[in-house]
């Protein structure tokens, strides 16, 4: 994984939702155990089946969590962004990674080792409770995503996905190809192109090379 390692400050720790309310001394202890990394867009930084050594706390940007089906196709599970954690479940149950993680945009992260992460959960019970709440929300979101796939039209699913993705890209310019969006929504590239052209005719989006802008 090609990335840029940068200094980390106490403010970065205190601004992260999971660590909200920590004192400067407590935040400093976590900062000393963390590394700040900038991961370029379109980078796979977690691979399914590999050993679990680190957790990634997203400060900025967006990440697609996906698996590979029996035909070699990417199947998107969820899109995570600012305030979310990637890779923490495998650290908790000591299992191999259950999915791939790929940056959709440039991502700023705090990285904690498995030992540091477990020590934080042991020493700060409130953080453990917040983590459980975060995991519960992710499960509910996954259930909703499955329900939407079954009950809602591709156009509706695509529009909802675009509204979510817009939050994670600077200036609302979603820098994804039609094929990448198709993977996230669960459709073919051709069908996504048809939907995007319909949305453009309705003046809901503006399309350019590898960019989708909501109007």
């Amino acid at each position: 994984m090609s990335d840029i390692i940068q200094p980390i400050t106490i403010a970065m720790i205190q601004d992260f939702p999971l660590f909200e309310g920590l004192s400067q001394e407590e935040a400093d202890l976590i900062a000393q155990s963390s590394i700040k990394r900038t991961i370029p867009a379109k980078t796979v930084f977690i691979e399914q089946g590999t050993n679990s050594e680190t957790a990634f706390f997203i400060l900025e940007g967006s990440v697609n969590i996906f698996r590979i089906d029996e035909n070699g196709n990417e199947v998107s599970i969820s899109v995570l962004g600012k305030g979310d954690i990637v890779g923490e479940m495998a650290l908790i149950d000591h299992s191999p990674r259950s999915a791939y993680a790929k940056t959709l945009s440039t991502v700023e992260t705090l990285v904690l080792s498995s030992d540091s992460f477990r020590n934080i959960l042991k020493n700060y019970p409130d953080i453990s409770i917040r983590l459980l709440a975060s995991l519960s929300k992710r499960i509910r979101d996954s259930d909703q995503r499955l329900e939407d796939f079954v009950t809602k039209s591709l156009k509706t699913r695509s529009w909802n996905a675009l509204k979510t993705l817009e939050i994670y890209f600077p200036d609302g310019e979603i820098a994804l190809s039609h094929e990448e969006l198709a993977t996230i929504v669960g459709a073919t590239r051709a069908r996504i192109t048809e939907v995007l052209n319909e949305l453009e005719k309705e003046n809901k989006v503006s399309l350019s090379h590898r960019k989708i802008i909501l109007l």
Side-chain angles (χ1 to χ4, degrees), residues 1 13 29 37 42 49 54 105 111 153 203 210 215:
M1 178 178 64
I13 298 294
L29 289 174
R37 283 178 171 169
K42 321 301 181 188
T54 51
S105 59
V111 185
S153 68
N203 293 319
R210 294 184 66 87
L215 303 177

Side-chain angles (χ1 to χ4, degrees), residues 16-19 45-46 54-59 63 65 78 80-89 91-92 97 101 109-110 112 117 121 127 130-132 134-135 138:
F16 198 85
L18 195 66
F19 303 135
F45 62 98
I46 287 179
T54 51
F56 298 82
F57 296 72
I58 305 176
L59 299 173
V63 173
I65 308 299
S78 63
L80 304 179
K82 183 176 181 179
D84 290 322
I85 312 170
V86 182
E88 80 286 5
M89 291 181 65
L91 298 188
I92 294 171
R97 302 292 194 187
T109 67
L110 299 178
L112 275 81
F117 183 69
L121 296 183
I127 292 178
R130 290 176 196 159
L131 180 61
L132 287 174
S134 175
L135 292 174
R138 195 175 301 179

Side-chain angles (χ1 to χ4, degrees), residues 24-136:
Q24 286 200 341
E25 291 77 14
E26 291 169 332
D28 185 48
L29 289 174
I30 296 176
Q32 292 177 29
S33 303
S34 308
I35 296 174
K36 183 171 184 285
R37 283 178 171 169
T38 300
I39 308 176
K42 321 301 181 188
T43 300
V44 174
F45 62 98
I46 287 179
E47 295 189 7
Q48 184 176 339
T50 57
N51 292 331
S52 312
E53 299 177 351
T54 51
F56 298 82
F57 296 72
I58 305 176
L59 299 173
E60 296 290 344
S62 57
V63 173
N64 184 32
I65 308 299
F66 67 94
R67 294 178 180 171
I68 303 295
D69 67 17
E70 59 184 11
N71 297 317
N73 300 314
E74 292 185 13
V75 179
S76 180
I77 300 172
S78 63
V79 175
L80 304 179
K82 183 176 181 179
D84 290 322
I85 312 170
V86 182
E88 80 286 5
M89 291 181 65
L91 298 188
I92 294 171
D93 62 14
H94 307 280
S95 299
R97 302 292 194 187
S98 60
Y100 292 85
K102 180 180 181 180
T103 55
L104 297 174
S105 59
T106 299
V107 170
E108 305 284 348
T109 67
L110 299 178
V111 185
L112 275 81
S113 69
S114 57
D115 288 342
S116 296
F117 183 69
R118 293 190 189 107
N119 285 334
I120 288 170
L121 296 183
K122 289 177 182 177
N123 295 327
Y124 304 104
D126 287 348
I127 292 178
S128 298
I129 294 172
R130 290 176 196 159
L131 180 61
L132 287 174
S134 175
L135 292 174
S136 295

Side-chain angles (χ1 to χ4, degrees), residues 137-201:
K137 180 180 182 300
R138 195 175 301 179
I139 292 172
R140 288 196 299 271
D141 290 345
S142 295
D143 289 344
Q144 184 63 54
R145 186 182 179 91
L146 178 60
E147 181 182 338
D148 290 349
F149 186 82
V150 174
T151 63
K152 294 185 178 179
S153 68
L154 176 59
K155 185 175 180 180
T156 298
R157 298 198 328 263
S158 300
W159 178 244
N160 289 341
L162 289 171
K163 287 191 292 185
T164 298
L165 289 165
E166 181 187 28
I167 301 171
Y168 301 137
F169 284 84
D171 303 320
E173 295 186 355
I174 303 171
L176 296 178
S177 67
H178 292 192
E179 184 174 359
E180 289 169 327
L181 181 60
T183 297
I184 292 171
V185 175
T188 64
R189 181 189 182 283
R191 287 289 291 119
I192 283 296
T193 297
E194 290 177 7
V195 167
L196 288 174
N197 287 337
E198 289 180 20
L199 292 173
E200 187 174 42
K201 289 179 181 178

Side-chain angles (χ1 to χ4, degrees), residues 9-17 19-25 27:
T9 65
I10 293 175
M12 291 176 188
I13 298 294
Q14 292 177 319
D15 285 345
F16 198 85
F19 303 135
E20 184 180 357
L22 292 182
S23 68
Q24 286 200 341
E25 291 77 14

